[in-house]
Amino acid sequence: MSGVQTRPAEATPNRDECDVVMNLSASQRCEFVKNTPDCASDEGFIKYPVVTFCLFPPNLLPLAITLYVLWLFVLFLLLGLIASDFFCPNLSAISSTLSLTHNVAGVTFLALGNGAPDVFSAMAAFSHPQTAGLAIGALFGAGIFVTTVVAGSIALVKPFTVASRPFLRDVIFYMAAVFWTFMILYKGHISMGEAVGYLGLYIVYVLTVIVSAYVYNRQKHQLNGSAQTSGSERGEILPSDAYREIPNASIQAHDDGEYEPLLPYTRSTAQIFLNAINPVDSRTWRRQHWSAKVLKVIKVPVEVLLLLTVPVVDTDKEDHNWKRPLNSLHIITGPLVCVLTFQSGKYGLLLIEGEVPVWVLILCIGVFLSGIVFFTTTNERPPKYHFLYSLLGFVVSALWISTVASEIVSVLHLLGIVLSLSNTVLGLTLLAWGNSIGDCFADITIARQGYPRMAISACFGGIIFNMLFGVGLGCLLQIFQTNNVVMLEPEGMLCWVLSGALGLSLVLSFILVPLQCFHLSRFYGIFLLIFYIVFLLVALLTEFRVIQF
């Protein structure tokens, strides 16, 4: 298990004391978890060790584990829902408001939107020494999963020729990020300068994408009059993560024109509000598969809560998704969510001069501002300052993501304690799979629609962002909070197996793909899938000490 400590480099690392709880008798466990700081250090709202060992009888421990696995499934669903339906649209609106080009938007706001679950999960895991192994395992595990399983599946579904220069660019930058992380783990600690260097490397990557796109566009314009532009390099026009923008639009778009009323009518304020918080589209409900309906029923309560608290600005709509009654309410609920979810709500519950809680003050200010907005605007036309709602939506949805990510990390920490598994193996399996499976299905769907080049580019661009921001920002926040270096101390061989496997997969891609003239065949896809299966087998055998190095 990888440990992280924010203390001087010469200090001796402390073991997670909560690990020994399973060695105690059942009657001693509840008192132990209540009095052990490591068992209560998670930032989630639910104290899982206390719930597990104080509320569940010892003979119902398997039931508790089953419930936690189901709860993990729900949390991963919520993480994807918030990122796709609330976080990403607001980032897109901010990008449009700032009039950013596709290249800049793709490697900044769009990359942040796609990588939000991974980055926030890593930041939550890095926040405590006991759970840092989850971050290392998840970032490296997701990297191997994407570069083997996802890339291999795309090649199986749609063999294609990858754009050469963008592919080599992304692989080289990702190899640099992985090698840098390997050196940090070998050294055992990361300083502020090195953490900032992670962010600096991503800035270099962004500039490289922009410059290469600019050079390519100039060359294309110069050759436009004399020769046809080769289609094999078209993937370089947009950056890696920007490829998601086009296919997602084609996948999710549907012709609403047939549902538009023939004659215009005016809806009341109450109708606008009720329609705005209704997440079920009755027009498509009857055509959905029963499994999709079950999933929708599970998500409906949370979707209603999110609709009530997170404003969404949609620049593709004529009214930019302006809903006067709901947007007025957002001025109250949005700041309340911020103050009650940040740092598990400890700042929102603080008393001002020992009498008034902070959240009450925020509520009063929100009600005042909400009244001003409601009585100075109309239902038909959004106000000039409507773009500011995208900033509010960005902050609120980011805090929701951070809250859910903290709960996921806390549950995985508890499962590691109960099942005697290291955080690293939980990170490279459950956390990595949970964060990557949605992107995997999306990329395979994109490939089936005839855009395999877009799908493969989205794969590599996303994991570069996740690695550099996940480690860099996560460690940087810890350094700011403690004013000390962050200790990264891998315990056992699993961490080295993980980093070595990721490095090997990248080197193989860097060598084998050019040798195949950048054509990804079904045979190469099968090779990548076999590589991941072998890696996973070696990692699990190493975890259970069947294989010892």
Side-chain angles (χ1 to χ4, degrees):
M1 178 168 56
S2 294
V4 166
Q5 286 283 35
T6 49
R7 59 177 183 268
E10 65 272 13
T12 303
N14 292 325
R15 178 182 174 82
D16 183 2
E17 296 180 0
C18 203
D19 283 344
V20 303
V21 66
M22 295 304 295
N23 298 330
L24 304 175
S25 64
S27 59
Q28 296 176 308
R29 291 172 183 173
C30 179
E31 193 67 25
F32 177 81
V33 297
K34 286 182 177 179
N35 298 321
T36 304
D38 285 350
C39 294
S41 62
D42 295 331
E43 290 187 356
F45 284 91
I46 302 174
K47 302 305 178 185
Y48 295 97
V50 175
V51 171
T52 304
F53 298 110
C54 296
L55 299 184
F56 281 92
N59 59 325
L60 293 183
L61 191 58
L63 174 62
I65 295 174
T66 303
L67 293 176
Y68 286 141
V69 172
L70 293 176
W71 179 230
L72 263 183
F73 172 74
V74 174
L75 289 174
F76 278 123
L77 276 181
L78 298 184
L79 203 61
L81 173 67
I82 301 169
S84 62
D85 292 358
F86 296 88
F87 192 69
C88 287
N90 282 310
L91 286 177
S92 179
I94 294 172
S95 174
S96 299
T97 302
L98 297 176
S99 300
L100 299 179
T101 65
H102 284 296
N103 295 293
V104 177
V107 293
T108 53
F109 290 113
L110 192 59
L112 176 59
N114 290 334
D118 305 84
V119 172
F120 279 100
S121 297
M123 290 169 59
F126 273 124
S127 63
H128 289 290
Q130 298 80 18
T131 57
L134 286 171
I136 299 297
L139 292 173
F140 277 59
I144 300 176
F145 184 82
V146 168
T147 56
T148 56
V149 175
V150 180
S153 300
I154 292 171
L156 281 175
V157 169
K158 193 81 171 178
F160 68 103
T161 301
V162 71
S164 57
R165 282 181 287 181
F167 176 81
L168 292 176
R169 176 196 66 208
D170 290 346
V171 170
I172 290 172
F173 269 97
Y174 193 45
M175 282 197 296
V178 171
F179 179 74
W180 193 350
T181 307
F182 180 86
M183 294 304 297
I184 293 295
L185 289 173
Y186 182 79
K187 189 172 61 171
H189 63 86
I190 180 172
S191 64
M192 179 178 290
E194 291 166 331
V196 172
Y198 272 90
L199 306 182
L201 182 58
Y202 192 76
I203 292 175
V204 174
Y205 172 70
V206 170
L207 294 176
T208 303
V209 170
I210 295 172
V211 171
S212 62
Y214 173 76
V215 171
Y216 174 73
N217 284 327
R218 284 197 60 183
Q219 292 177 347
K220 187 180 74 170
H221 288 308
Q222 290 173 357
L223 298 174
N224 202 27
S226 58
Q228 287 286 339
T229 305
S230 174
S232 63
E233 290 296 324
R234 292 184 183 230
E236 198 169 355
I237 298 176
L238 293 177
S240 303
D241 281 276
Y243 286 115
R244 291 193 186 275
E245 197 166 11
I246 295 174
N248 279 351
S250 64
I251 293 169
Q252 298 174 357
H254 58 276
D255 186 11
D256 285 336
E258 59 180 303
Y259 299 110
E260 291 297 325
L262 296 177
L263 297 175
Y265 70 98
T266 302
R267 292 181 298 175
S268 65
T269 300
Q271 287 177 322
I272 293 174
F273 179 78
L274 292 176
N275 287 335
I277 63 171
N278 179 16
V280 179
D281 188 348
S282 59
R283 301 170 301 189
T284 60
W285 174 260
R286 283 176 289 183
R287 292 180 295 178
Q288 290 182 338
H289 191 263
W290 67 267
S291 59
K293 291 181 178 180
V294 171
L295 198 60
K296 188 67 175 179
V297 170
I298 295 174
K299 294 194 295 183
V300 159
V302 180
E303 284 186 289
V304 172
L305 176 62
L306 292 171
L307 288 169
L308 288 170
T309 56
V310 185
V312 177
V313 177
D314 189 351
T315 54
D316 292 330
K317 294 184 178 180
E318 186 177 352
D319 62 354
H320 288 193
N321 203 38
W322 167 250
K323 311 293 181 184
R324 174 170 161 254
L326 181 59
N327 289 147
S328 299
L329 180 64
H330 284 149
I331 300 179
I332 302 174
T333 58
L336 276 179
V337 168
C338 293
V339 76
L340 291 176
T341 57
F342 184 68
Q343 295 290 316
S344 299
K346 66 180 181 181
Y347 293 111
L349 300 177
L350 290 177
L351 298 178
I352 301 175
E353 296 186 356
E355 297 183 0
V356 181
V358 171
W359 70 266
V360 173
L361 176 62
I362 298 297
L363 176 63
C364 293
I365 296 174
V367 169
F368 175 73
L369 295 176
S370 177
I372 293 176
V373 171
F374 185 81
F375 290 109
T376 58
T377 57
T378 62
N379 291 333
E380 292 76 22
R381 182 178 298 176
K384 294 181 179 179
Y385 52 81
H386 185 223
F387 72 92
L388 294 175
Y389 276 88
S390 61
L391 297 176
L392 176 62
F394 165 74
V395 174
V396 178
S397 56
L399 285 171
W400 272 125
I401 291 175
S402 178
T403 300
V404 176
S406 296
E407 292 298 323
I408 290 174
V409 168
S410 298
V411 174
L412 290 175
H413 182 214
L414 186 277
L415 290 177
I417 292 171
V418 174
L419 301 176
S420 299
L421 296 174
S422 71
N423 283 326
T424 305
V425 76
L426 288 172
L428 73 91
T429 53
L430 293 181
L431 188 54
W433 293 341
N435 286 337
S436 303
I437 198 69
D439 289 342
C440 177
F441 286 124
D443 290 331
I444 292 174
T445 303
I446 293 168
R448 281 177 176 168
Q449 288 193 335
Y451 303 100
R453 201 171 294 141
M454 295 180 180
I456 198 73
S457 298
C459 293
F460 280 93
I463 54 180
I464 293 172
F465 177 86
N466 297 342
M467 175 69 75
L468 294 177
F469 264 72
V471 178
L473 200 56
C475 293
L476 195 61
L477 290 177
Q478 282 303 102
I479 292 172
F480 282 148
Q481 290 178 9
T482 60
N483 293 322
N484 287 317
V485 298
V486 175
M487 303 300 295
L488 291 169
E489 299 162 346
E491 299 175 6
M493 289 301 301
L494 182 58
C495 189
W496 304 119
V497 170
L498 186 56
S499 56
L502 178 55
L504 179 60
S505 71
L506 291 174
V507 170
L508 289 176
S509 295
F510 186 73
I511 295 174
L512 296 180
V513 173
L515 288 178
Q516 301 175 88
C517 298
F518 296 95
H519 180 73
L520 300 187
S521 62
R522 286 191 172 91
F523 177 79
Y524 185 70
I526 294 173
F527 166 76
L528 291 177
L529 293 177
I530 293 175
F531 182 93
Y532 184 78
I533 294 172
V534 172
F535 150 73
L536 196 60
L537 182 63
V538 172
L540 293 177
L541 292 177
T542 304
E543 169 68 14
F544 295 111
R545 299 183 180 178
V546 176
I547 296 178
Q548 296 185 8
F549 295 92

